[in-house]
Amino acid sequence: MGSLRLEMLRLATLFLALACFARPSPAAIPPEPPAVAVGVALSVEDGRTRLTVKLSRAVQARGFVLERPDRAIIDLGDVNVQVRPASERLGVVSGLRAGVIAPGRARIVLDLAEPARIARIETVGEPEAGLHRLVVELVKIDRPSFRQTVALGRDDRDPLTTGSLGDGPGGDSRPLVALDPGHGGTDSGAVATTGALEKDIVLAFALTLRDRLLASGRFRVMMTRDGDSFVPLDERVRLARNAGADLFVSIHGDSIGSAAIRGATIYTGAEQATDLESARLAERENAADLAGGVAPPEVQAGIADILHQLTLRETRGLSHRFANLLHGELRPVLGFSAHPHREAGFRVLRAPDMTSVLVELGYLSNAKDANLLLSDDWRRHTAAAMAGAVERFFGARLRGAAAAILP
Ligand code: ZN
């Protein structure tokens, strides 16, 4: 069949980046400048609707489809892409728009004129041209298949991952787990009845959990800190998101006025705290930046658009799901507080697009908890149970790993 090439939207695009060098925050790792999108084009060939985006460097891209209205979403990392919205129809696409949904996260939305699936999503290097090309191909499918694809994508928001930057060497598609031991450096966190410091206890635990996850061979793991260093809260989230983490687990140990209170608690992010104690705890943890001499940045305004809200809602659903799995796995090995799963406005749980939980392993203000948290046995058992929850969370994806990368 002859190839019909309808080069249509030549959305010349653009530039910039340099402005982003402007604000180095003290003690923060200087951000990598965003990739630049130099061209976005849509074409139809052999029944496939193809989107191509020229990029100054390889970026991680993920695609999924949503219904009502039907659309294909392409999430990119730190890409500066400014595209004029288009509403002409070409192939299965009836419109296109793009923008930044959060710092370091760009998104392209393709409105679908008819149900379609993403048949290909790939970043291809073109060394002779000195650029990379993101290629996304859409193929028309029937409504029932589309619904199935939507449901799959919802359940496992990352069915399609390119083998590009952000993945491990050789296009490693194993889930990336970010472990975030709280505090560090000048910020010691809570002090246990034994005199031990929260920052040391949570680091030792996170390292044990990291080793456990790596030993399974099924995950990649990154740490927001793996030594006694101070890392600002937003920087922890940025590091994890830039690496393309699929799951973010922040590890803490709580402290409270009453020495009798003990047990672990799992927190997910929310604007409204479950109760006063959770709100106070989030306030204390959010003040960590002050202990490190960094003024907490203002909350990002102006990104609360519809896409942001949509992504956030999906992410919060996944975070709840992981919190429930975690509670189930940890219950046999860990005493829980009266309300084992609560919500509060933790700064490290605000990423709109990354499943995130914060675990308070126990109360350092309680002598029993404090002693437990220092025991090797306890650490090993608890890390094993947590690794079990991670396995269950990614279960479908691990089983379908081979099928996850489309041709
Ligand atoms: Zn803490």
Side-chain angles (χ1 to χ4, degrees):
M1 177 175 164
S3 101
L4 173 66
R5 201 174 182 99
L6 296 172
E7 185 93 7
M8 179 185 109
L9 301 169
R10 190 106 193 131
L11 301 160
T13 41
L14 332 227
F15 30 77
L16 57 107
L18 292 173
C20 302
F21 289 114
R23 267 169 277 148
S25 77
I29 296 165
E32 195 182 5
V36 181
V38 291
V40 175
L42 210 52
S43 62
V44 175
E45 196 171 330
D46 292 337
R48 290 178 167 227
T49 308
R50 180 183 300 155
L51 169 79
T52 58
V53 180
K54 287 183 201 163
L55 296 160
S56 59
R57 61 173 162 82
V59 298
Q60 192 179 48
R62 300 162 179 201
F64 55 101
V65 287
L66 294 171
E67 199 180 16
R68 281 193 300 259
D70 297 345
R71 59 215 188 276
I73 310 285
I74 314 299
D75 276 344
L76 305 167
D78 202 2
V79 178
N80 207 309
V81 51
Q82 296 192 0
V83 177
R84 272 192 307 275
S87 55
E88 296 98 311
R89 171 153 186 191
L90 187 73
V92 296
V93 173
S94 59
L96 178 155
R97 57 198 181 277
V100 171
I101 53 166
R105 306 294 281 195
R107 172 173 281 187
I108 299 172
V109 179
L110 299 163
D111 295 319
L112 298 175
E114 33 192 356
R117 70 178 176 88
I118 298 171
R120 177 185 175 204
I121 178 166
E122 195 179 4
T123 306
V124 187
E126 291 181 16
E128 64 287 351
L131 52 80
H132 289 79
R133 193 183 296 271
L134 169 72
V135 180
V136 179
E137 289 183 352
L138 296 164
V139 176
K140 181 179 182 262
I141 51 176
D142 59 28
R143 177 65 58 181
S145 310
F146 182 69
R147 292 225 163 105
Q148 232 167 17
T149 311
V150 170
L152 264 177
R154 278 254 161 93
D155 207 28
D156 173 11
R157 260 189 74 243
D158 184 18
L160 307 165
T161 302
T162 57
S164 60
L165 201 79
D167 284 350
D172 191 336
S173 66
R174 289 175 300 167
L176 176 62
V177 180
L179 299 180
D180 174 48
H183 315 280
T186 49
D187 170 23
S188 303
V191 180
T193 53
T194 57
L197 303 176
E198 179 184 356
K199 65 173 182 176
D200 298 325
I201 294 173
V202 297
L203 177 61
F205 180 82
L207 289 170
T208 306
L209 179 55
R210 175 192 67 180
D211 294 347
R212 177 81 198 198
L213 288 168
L214 289 178
S216 76
R218 311 179 85 173
F219 304 100
R220 292 175 292 136
V221 180
M222 66 159 290
M223 307 275 293
T224 56
R225 71 174 177 101
D226 58 6
D228 184 19
S229 52
F230 172 77
V231 183
L233 296 173
D234 289 356
E235 182 66 10
R236 295 163 185 260
V237 178
R238 197 188 71 81
L239 285 170
R241 289 171 81 224
N242 281 3
D246 300 284
L247 175 66
F248 180 89
V249 183
S250 193
I251 312 279
H252 287 260
D254 203 354
S255 172
I256 198 168
S258 163
I261 294 178
R262 56 178 306 210
T265 309
I266 301 165
Y267 287 90
T268 47
E271 320 319 323
Q272 295 271 316
T274 308
D275 48 50
L276 199 57
E277 194 201 328
S278 305
R280 286 193 181 130
L281 172 68
E283 215 168 83
R284 277 201 304 279
E285 300 289 16
N286 289 348
D289 281 354
L290 297 173
V294 174
E298 294 298 307
V299 173
Q300 282 280 338
I303 54 170
D305 60 15
I306 285 172
L307 289 177
H308 175 87
Q309 290 302 329
L310 179 74
T311 309
L312 183 64
R313 204 165 63 221
E314 287 171 357
T315 301
R316 292 239 159 114
L318 286 171
S319 299
H320 274 261
R321 192 172 133 218
F322 179 66
N324 287 335
L325 286 172
L326 199 52
H327 182 222
E329 294 291 320
L330 284 175
R331 210 165 24 195
V333 296
L334 197 58
F336 273 91
S337 61
H339 305 287
H341 177 190
R342 302 184 216 187
E343 300 181 320
F346 290 95
R347 196 158 191 105
V348 292
L349 301 182
R350 285 183 188 159
D353 50 3
M354 183 168 64
T355 302
S356 309
V357 303
L358 183 147
V359 182
E360 296 281 353
L361 293 169
Y363 284 93
L364 302 180
S365 41
N366 174 275
K368 264 191 184 154
D369 270 5
N371 281 319
L372 261 189
L373 265 57
L374 290 168
S375 119
D376 286 344
D377 258 7
W378 175 90
R379 195 178 298 133
R380 222 176 27 250
H381 286 132
T382 308
M386 251 195 219
V390 174
E391 295 236 356
R392 289 192 62 192
F393 182 68
F394 289 110
R397 174 159 158 197
L398 292 172
R399 281 192 301 277
I405 312 277
L406 296 179

